[in-house]
Amino acid sequence: MSTKRISAAVRHLPRSRKGGLVAGALALGLAGALSAQTVVPGQFAFADPVRVESAAPQSFAAVVAGVKPAVVSVRVRSDSTPRMMSSRGGGMPGFEDLPQDHPLHRFFRRFGGEPFGGERGDGGGQRREEPRRYGTSQGSGFFITGDGYLVTNEHVVSGGSEFTVITDNGDEYEAKLIGADKRTDLALLKIEGESDFTYVEFAPDAPQVGEWVVAVGNPFGLGGSVTAGIVSARGRDIGAGPYDDFIQIDAPVNRGNSGGPAFNVKGQVIGVNAAIFSPSGGNVGIAFAIPASTAQTIVADLKNDGTVVRGWLGVQIQPVSKDIAESIGLDKAKGAIVAEAQGDSPALKAGIRSGDTILKVDGETIDSPRDLARKIAGYPPETTVTLDVWRDGREQAIEVKLGRLQEEARAAAVEPTGENTAFVDSLGVELASAKSVGAGDKGVVVTDISGDSAAAEKGLKRGDVILEVAGQQVDEPGDVAGAVLGASESGRKAVLMRVQSGNATRFVAVPVAKG
């Protein structure tokens, strides 16, 4: 009601009610002034609360009607290894090994069956190969082109010899495997001779946490099932592979949904459903989808030649903890620290060395080792990239020409032997020269360690080989003690050690006492 209408209404009321209504109008006016952050003398001004318009759709029916014909069930047939069986076994391998008084023997004798073949009681028979057996599994997938290319998970098609695609209307087609990438759990299938399939597109932008998501797939072999929820989180690392960057959703996803799409409300694919977290094996509201950006890149490579080629830097890396950051002079824990540059790797040839902390790749900030791995893998081999590294207390740029990703070489395990040890009280560790105990030509071996020491809390253990302390190579226990003392006298809260544990090399920041 406007101010003029309020005044007019007041004139027609008795005097006793006019006062109350005017007071109420003044109160409303004051509240409005306060909500608009107008400061009234002697009063407090309050900021407006956050108000967001709801974007909840009234129905997902239109989205589902548009995308559902593009979603398929994928049936995979795999050969099992033939087994040897006896002609006496009646299809039950190992039956002939049962004792004669076993209940199964009495069962067949009583009911006239002949589990052993031949005449009753002959006990004969020959060993023969069991007929080939086949296993069948099912998953989901979706068309990305009208001529029959479709995406699914690598773990859905793994080990398969025959692939059958069942569309939403029940039509069945034989498909061939174009290629699969185990590292990202993606695979590409193709139906030959058809060109009129309904297909969907990948979303150009990453979804935001809280956005609606619709999952369509083949849970438990039911086919064509639709569920809805929201994007719960992004950037999830679930330990599935070196490039984990999953979208977490709470749309109900179950066994058989693997390889199926997760859509936004525009009908675009934001991710490929790949895994669930579930103690029971069924949906508990936590599912993980491979981002559309990852799927697009991998599918393009698979479509090109059936393989995925990635850039290779050739370094062992680890996260930069607060202790490590402090020990090397970084203002905050960021980037990925190089534990070791592998032999004959692009990194080693470019001058990257242990202790370097990689902060950026071609100007893009590196948040973690996994982030670095994803960025490097996104480049094709022979690409030259610029790495911003932290070395000797300052940042510098190094150009590296990437190689092709290959399996990492494994170093020999190191175990301490012999005597000639010395105890470093400041660390709570007993050390011996690697040479003196036959554990190699470099470093100092941890032959014993106090369970309540700071070194033990940071993960050092018996058998580890300390290669460097505070950037200096160490070959004797005294080298370690001296470097720790130097770090303490310089005011460092921790000293950085490069440690070899079995096949891996890593950095450990061990706290030290001042002075």
Side-chain angles (χ1 to χ4, degrees), residues 20-46:
L21 185 55
V22 171
L26 290 174
L28 287 172
L30 178 59
L34 290 177
S35 66
Q37 300 183 0
T38 300
V39 179
V40 178
Q43 301 291 331
F44 293 102
F46 298 96

Side-chain angles (χ1 to χ4, degrees), residues 205-221:
D205 302 314
Q208 299 300 308
V209 174
E211 280 190 19
W212 285 104
V213 59
V214 178
V216 185
N218 180 36
F220 303 114

